Amino acid sequence: MQTITDCDMEEDDRITMLEPRFRSISLQALRPSARRQIAMHMDKELTTINVDNGMLCDWRGLAEIVGFSNLEISKMERTGKPTEELLYEWETNSNCDSTLGHLWSCLQQLDRKDVLSDSKSYVERDAQTFIDQQERLKNDYCPLQEPTISSTTVPANRDHLCDETRYLTIHDSENPDNPIIYDAFVCYNPDAEGKDGYFVQQCIKQLEHKHGLKLCIPIRDCLAGGAKYMMDAELIKARCRRMVIVISHEFLLSQDCDFQVKFAQSLAPDIGRCGKRLIPVLLEDRLKIPDILRHVTICDYTKPDLMEWFWDRLASSIRAPLDPEQELSFVPRKIPEPESLPDSISINNQDETSASPSQSLITSLLGKCTETRLTLE
């Protein structure tokens, strides 16, 4: 009769024992191959019950030991891969001890030495990989602040007392006492790909480099870290003479563009002044123009035959004065007063006897007019 000796038990413990340095590693270290190896054994539902604790010796008993409820176990069963679902729920549950050491202890309570021996190499391999990754991340760690710098050289009360409206653009941070007044604020959707960004690049090339205008392009000129809508509103209101609105499909989907246009329109609600401040540019065909811009003259960028005049027209529209006192005034032309009638009109080289009937009639009428004027005088 074969008996189990103490040496055999020690050999089994050696084969199934997990190294102590791996016991505190999280279950998240297990990769798919190790999870599948454990599931190959535990997914098979068994009818045997462990005599020591009364638990089923499959994945259901493991879930009970961990502390999952019957409802949670039923949900795991419906997934078709109960053991893998159990490991996932286990490692994401903050109320459970989700370490490899606890997993090993639970399998030992179920007396599943087959699982321990067959999956040990997979588990220890993944645990070692996890430790190496953590060590590598620790060595590659870069501090957020240079350790030689203890604190900023800017006085502590300077930022708290700062007027944020003075520091809106990159130029303001370098020269806050001499802010730039921009010729136009470019309203477009910077998240759009393709035509919108290309058109803004052309604006920089044609309007700034060629025509000498200064454009405010938020994604290029504005400082980061400020309140976006506050910065846009302050720039549109106090720092930009006009607004160039790039109308495209992406523009119509942008909430930022909608705010910018409506705010600019609110500064000059009547159609005349609004039309002078807002300069829409149509970038795509067959777009529904917003109602707020329907009565404003549009620069059409969609027609190739208009490209010859497009940039000069747009530059002139931006450069035109907004102040009525600066606009050209037309002096009305004076209408000359009629010359005074002569006291008498004679027909030269003709006497009354030789005058024609029509000439006699004209002479008679003029004579009566003269007599009437003399009487009134």
Side-chain angles (χ1 to χ4, degrees):
M1 183 176 180
Q2 187 177 4
T3 59
I4 300 177
T5 63
D6 293 340
C7 293
D8 293 334
M9 294 180 62
E10 291 178 0
E11 181 66 17
D12 290 342
D13 291 341
R14 186 186 64 81
I15 295 175
T16 60
M17 185 66 66
L18 186 67
E19 290 189 31
R21 63 192 183 98
F22 296 145
R23 299 185 68 85
S24 60
I25 302 298
S26 171
L27 291 176
Q28 296 178 357
L30 295 179
R31 293 184 290 185
S33 57
R35 294 170 185 265
R36 192 60 195 151
Q37 183 66 23
I38 297 173
M40 286 174 59
H41 293 278
M42 299 300 293
D43 279 348
K44 298 177 182 178
E45 296 187 357
L46 304 177
T47 57
T48 57
I49 297 178
N50 188 283
V51 294
D52 295 331
N53 51 32
M55 299 289 184
L56 291 169
C57 295
D58 54 17
W59 69 271
R60 294 170 294 179
L62 180 60
E64 285 188 66
I65 295 177
V66 174
F68 288 105
S69 65
N70 183 59
L71 180 60
E72 292 172 322
I73 294 174
S74 299
K75 290 181 179 179
M76 296 174 189
E77 186 175 12
R78 287 195 292 269
T79 63
K81 296 181 179 180
T83 302
E84 294 185 27
E85 182 67 16
L86 166 61
L87 293 174
Y88 174 77
E89 294 293 338
W90 189 354
E91 69 187 22
T92 57
N93 192 333
S94 59
N95 297 324
C96 299
D97 180 8
S98 56
T99 60
L100 295 178
H102 191 207
L103 169 64
W104 228 245
S105 176
C106 293
L107 292 174
Q108 287 174 342
Q109 292 182 46
L110 296 175
D111 198 24
R112 293 301 302 266
K113 295 182 180 180
D114 57 331
V115 182
L116 297 174
S117 60
D118 291 348
S119 60
K120 178 183 176 182
S121 60
Y122 293 89
V123 173
E124 290 185 341
R125 179 203 61 187
D126 291 349
Q128 184 61 51
T129 302
F130 181 81
I131 292 174
D132 294 341
Q133 289 176 347
Q134 295 298 315
E135 190 68 24
R136 186 163 54 252
L137 290 175
K138 182 179 179 180
N139 294 334
D140 294 342
Y141 170 73
C142 180
L144 297 178
Q145 181 175 336
E146 178 64 30
T148 58
I149 301 176
S150 59
S151 64
T152 179
T153 57
V154 179
N157 61 346
R158 178 176 175 180
D159 289 338
H160 297 291
L161 301 178
C162 173
D163 181 6
E164 292 188 8
T165 59
R166 293 186 60 195
Y167 298 90
L168 300 175
T169 65
I170 297 175
H171 175 81
D172 296 341
S173 64
E174 300 171 354
N175 194 1
D177 296 328
N178 186 24
I180 291 180
I181 302 300
Y182 295 90
D183 291 294
F185 182 98
V186 181
C187 174
Y188 80 108
N189 187 353
D191 298 330
E193 298 180 358
K195 289 186 178 181
D196 298 61
Y198 175 77
F199 177 78
V200 173
Q201 292 291 340
Q202 291 299 308
C203 285
I204 296 173
K205 180 180 178 181
Q206 295 288 339
L207 300 179
E208 288 194 335
H209 299 169
K210 184 176 179 180
H211 290 274
L213 298 173
K214 185 61 178 176
L215 303 178
C216 178
I217 303 174
I219 197 172
R220 179 194 68 176
D221 298 322
C222 290
L223 294 173
K228 179 175 178 56
Y229 287 150
M230 183 276 293
M231 296 176 67
D232 290 347
E234 186 65 24
L235 285 169
I236 295 170
K237 178 182 178 181
R239 305 279 291 277
C240 298
R241 297 178 59 252
R242 297 182 185 274
M243 174 183 285
V244 175
I245 305 170
V246 184
I247 303 177
S248 65
H249 178 71
E250 287 76 11
F251 165 85
L252 299 176
L253 301 177
S254 172
Q255 294 182 355
D256 293 346
C257 293
D258 183 66
F259 166 79
Q260 293 167 2
V261 173
K262 288 181 178 178
F263 180 80
Q265 193 271 344
S266 68
L267 300 177
D270 59 288
I271 294 178
R273 295 180 62 191
C274 173
K276 293 180 179 180
R277 190 177 185 91
L278 306 182
I279 305 177
V281 176
L282 185 61
L283 208 60
E284 298 178 10
D285 286 329
R286 296 183 294 275
L287 285 180
K288 181 181 179 182
I289 305 300
D291 293 339
I292 198 173
L293 301 174
R294 186 169 297 176
H295 302 288
V296 181
T297 306
I298 292 179
C299 290
D300 197 340
Y301 191 72
T302 64
K303 298 180 180 179
D305 54 333
L306 300 180
M307 287 298 101
E308 182 179 356
W309 312 295
F310 176 83
W311 292 110
D312 291 337
R313 182 190 179 205
L314 181 57
S316 299
S317 301
I318 296 174
R319 191 178 286 112
L322 283 171
D323 189 352
E325 296 181 358
Q326 298 178 1
E327 297 181 0
L328 294 176
S329 59
F330 295 91
V331 179
R333 183 171 58 89
K334 293 184 178 181
I335 300 176
E337 296 181 358
E339 297 180 358
S340 59
L341 294 173
D343 293 340
S344 62
I345 298 178
S346 61
I347 301 176
N348 297 328
N349 301 326
Q350 291 186 357
D351 54 12
E352 294 182 0
T353 57
S354 61
S356 63
S358 60
Q359 291 176 340
S360 300
L361 179 60
I362 293 173
T363 303
S364 175
L365 292 174
L366 290 176
K368 291 181 179 180
C369 291
T370 303
E371 293 176 359
T372 302
R373 192 184 67 174
L374 293 175
T375 303
L376 293 174
E377 292 177 352

